Structure formats: C-alpha cells, structure tokens
Amino acid sequence: MRNKRMGLGIVGAVVLVLLAGGGIAWAVRSGGGKPAAAPRIPAAPSATFAEPAPTTPPPSPGADITGPLDLMIVGVDTRVSIPGWEPHADAIMLLHVEPGLQKAYLYSLPRDLRVPTPGSGTHKITEAMSRGSRVGEGEEPSVQKGYELLRKAVVAYTGIKQLQAGAVLNFGGLARLTDALGGVDLVIDQTVKSRHRKPDGSMRPLSGGDYRGPQAVYLPGKRHLVGWQAIDYARQRYGLPNGDYDRQRHQRQLVTALLNKALDEGLGDSPDKLDSVLKALGDTFVYLGGRTPLEYAYALRNLTPDKITRVSLPGRGVGSGGDYLGEQLTAEGKGFIKAVAQGKAAAYLAAHPKLVDK
C-alpha cells in the first residue's frame, strides 16, 4: 500500500506556473519592470531625407499560441529519502483550453484507473509513471522517462491527439507555494479528518500499521490554510464518502484557491513577486513541453479562475475473484473525455450538468 500514501493536492502549484504568468511576460517585454527610454530620433539634415519608418515591437513569446491546448499536471509520490524509489503519479489533472484560450476545463483521472500501458499490458495508471522511470541497474529512476510513459498511456486512453506540455511536482512544492503566498483561503465542502497530522501539524505516530493520536480536522466553511495544512487536506481520502473521488474534487478546489490568491497578491502585475514565488518551488517540479512555461503563461494570461470549469468524472471499482484491481470510469465519465477529444466539452456538460463541480 506504500504507493497510495501520498495523495497529492500539489498540482495547483504547476497550474500557477503555467497560468499566472502575465508578470513573467510583462517583465520580458518591459525589461524587468523598468520602462524603456524612448528612442531619440535625430532631426533630418535636409528635406530630401524621409522620416524614419515607424517600428513595430516584436510579438511577445507565446503570442502565436491560439489553442486548443491540453496540458497535464502530475503530482508525484516521491520519497527522496529512499534510494531507488520509483515515482508514482498520485494526482493526474488535465487542463483542456478551448480555441481562443478564453475557456478551459480542469478534470482528474483516478490514480487507480486501469488503462492499457504501452509495452506492459493493463495496469493502474499511477504505475505508468513508475514503470517508465526504470533505467539501468544502479541508476536512479528517471522522472522524465516516467512522465513519457504516463503521457503515452493518457493519450491512448483519452484519445487526445497531443499533450502540448506537462509538469511534475512533488508534495513539498505545495507547502512552499502556499506559504510563499501567505497561505490560501479555501471553501471546504465537507468534514475532513487527517490520517497523518496532529492539530499542531506534527506527524501522528504510526503504530501497528495505522496512525494514532489526535487528528487535525478541517471543517466545512471558508478556511485559511498554511502550507502543511494545504498538503494534508488535499491528500486525504480515507473516511470520505467517495474516497479518492472526493480527494480529486478537493484538489481541484485547491487549484482555484491558489490561482485566486495569486491574483489577489498581484502576481500578474509584479514580476518581482511572481519571481519570488516561482523560486520558492525550487527543484520540487520538473517541466516538460515543447514550448516554455513563459510562452504558455503569456498565451493564457487572460484565463482567470472564473473561466475554468472544474469537472468530476464518476467511476467505480473493478475486481476479479474478490480482489480489487482498480477503477474504471462510468459511461458518463468516459463520454466527457471523448467530448474533450472531439472539441465538444461545452455541449457535453450542458447535457450532463451534474459533472460540474459545485
């Protein structure tokens, strides 16, 4: 069960990197926030010389990106203290941005979703990351190689033609990001009891295969969470009515809360603030994509949280001979994925409004 322990809500950090980038692009255009001096044009020595032709500033990097886009954000179960630990994809979110880049859909794939994995049969999708990360004997597993096999599995399952970019972040990134933003305000929709933390944030002792002692509890309502609380709240699935499906919804809620806090802090208008937050992530994330985060950040600068629809995909467990094998999406859930691949997400949600997170 060790590969199930780190259910991560850290994917919001990478969404911030990709979406809250107006400040980055602005800094590039304006030389780090200092207005450029107007060029001095000397007077024409005689009437026979034409006036200098007006110059047009070059387009900002990413200005040519028009969509549609499909980006993958992966929260990885990483045990840096364990030599040779293979990373597991414990949170997988997909962001589909419609043509014109004015509307998007954020949805999750269950970590235990059973999918064909290229070259190795059918497994839980979380295992694609670990299987792909395996390299030569004596070498540390490769997150990049793990991501590549996961990408292939996701593309094959969803029918999405191309994932334009992806990012992988471990659990420490959420704490760093949340604390760098001064905490985050989150509307909690159900009582969540922590399996891992005491009320003061220290770890509950593990005894006899389970955690013991007082628990941190997150009550419904608008709450202010610091870094460790954000990690803890977003990783809980035990004791929730719908288990991992409730956890996925909480992770998507956290994404929105982080983006709203970034906007409240003025990150889109302050290159210095944004730079400090990005530096806080340090080596907790790996970016993989054909274009740079800066280019996507500029392209998606107008995609505010209110333009992102959060979608829940229903599923159920599957087994054989009494053994649990994993999860499969219902026909309604798979229908949404098919609609995304066909560019018909809005129409599908209009016909299936219960899929939209409240």
Side-chain angles (χ1 to χ4, degrees):
M1 299 298 289
R2 64 178 186 173
N3 64 341
K4 294 184 179 180
R5 288 176 56 199
M6 305 297 286
L8 306 179
I10 45 68
V11 291
V14 182
V15 174
L16 176 67
V17 173
L18 293 175
L19 302 187
I24 300 177
W26 180 82
V28 170
R29 294 196 305 272
S30 62
K34 298 179 181 179
R40 181 176 178 273
I41 302 176
S46 71
T48 59
F49 287 86
E51 290 290 332
T55 59
T56 301
S60 297
D64 61 316
I65 298 174
T66 59
L69 296 175
D70 288 282
L71 312 178
M72 183 162 69
I73 309 147
V74 184
V76 174
D77 174 2
T78 301
R79 313 291 174 82
V80 294
S81 62
I82 303 177
W85 176 260
E86 296 175 353
H88 292 73
D90 247 20
I92 303 171
M93 286 192 190
L94 294 167
L95 183 71
H96 174 73
V97 189
E98 291 189 341
L101 309 180
Q102 295 298 312
K103 189 170 180 57
Y105 304 91
L106 182 68
Y107 59 102
S108 309
L109 297 180
R111 66 176 305 285
D112 287 347
L113 183 68
R114 287 184 60 80
V115 300
T117 304
S120 61
T122 298
H123 304 280
K124 296 175 183 177
I125 197 169
T126 182
E127 297 176 16
M129 190 88 183
S130 56
R131 290 173 180 273
S133 72
R134 297 168 186 170
V135 288
E137 185 176 353
E139 298 182 50
E140 284 296 305
S142 168
V143 171
Q144 290 88 345
K145 288 182 179 294
Y147 170 86
E148 181 57 24
L149 184 59
L150 176 63
R151 182 194 65 79
K152 290 179 179 178
V154 169
V155 167
Y157 179 79
T158 62
I160 295 172
K161 294 180 180 179
Q162 181 183 6
L163 292 173
Q164 282 78 17
V168 180
L169 190 71
N170 70 36
F171 68 92
L174 175 63
R176 294 184 187 184
L177 173 64
T178 304
D179 287 336
L181 289 173
V184 65
D185 296 317
L186 183 68
V187 178
I188 294 175
D189 62 5
Q190 63 187 137
T191 298
V192 176
K193 295 182 178 181
S194 175
R195 185 169 180 254
H196 311 94
R197 298 271 188 170
K198 296 180 181 179
D200 64 0
S202 60
M203 297 299 297
R204 300 176 72 207
L206 187 61
S207 175
D210 200 2
Y211 295 90
R212 308 293 180 183
Q215 297 171 270
V217 179
Y218 306 95
L219 297 174
K222 187 174 183 180
R223 308 295 175 189
H224 183 80
L225 305 184
V226 298
W228 73 264
Q229 292 172 317
I231 293 173
D232 191 46
Y233 169 76
R235 70 183 291 196
Q236 302 307 318
R237 64 189 177 101
Y238 293 104
L240 298 179
N242 298 300
D244 188 53
Y245 293 95
D246 284 340
R247 178 172 64 174
Q248 294 170 35
R249 186 179 70 255
H250 295 163
Q251 291 168 352
R252 293 189 296 271
Q253 292 169 351
L254 186 56
V255 167
T256 301
L258 285 167
L259 288 173
N260 279 321
K261 187 60 183 291
L263 293 177
D264 291 343
E265 292 295 310
L267 264 64
D269 300 316
S270 173
D272 292 337
K273 286 183 180 180
L274 185 60
D275 184 60
S276 68
V277 170
L278 296 181
K279 285 181 178 177
L281 293 175
D283 59 359
T284 60
F285 85 97
V286 177
Y287 171 79
L288 304 109
R291 305 289 289 265
T292 67
L294 183 151
E295 291 173 288
Y296 287 118
Y298 179 79
L300 302 176
R301 66 196 182 281
N302 296 320
L303 190 63
T304 52
D306 60 294
K307 297 178 182 177
I308 301 174
T309 300
R310 302 191 307 269
V311 181
S312 290
L313 302 183
R316 58 176 174 266
V318 294
S320 175
D323 294 329
Y324 174 73
L325 297 179
E327 298 291 313
Q328 64 181 11
L329 295 181
T330 65
E332 189 177 26
K334 292 184 69 173
F336 174 76
I337 290 178
K338 181 178 179 180
V340 168
Q342 295 175 342
K344 300 177 181 179
Y348 190 85
L349 289 180
H352 301 82
K354 290 184 179 180
L355 296 185
V356 178
D357 288 351
K358 304 301 182 184

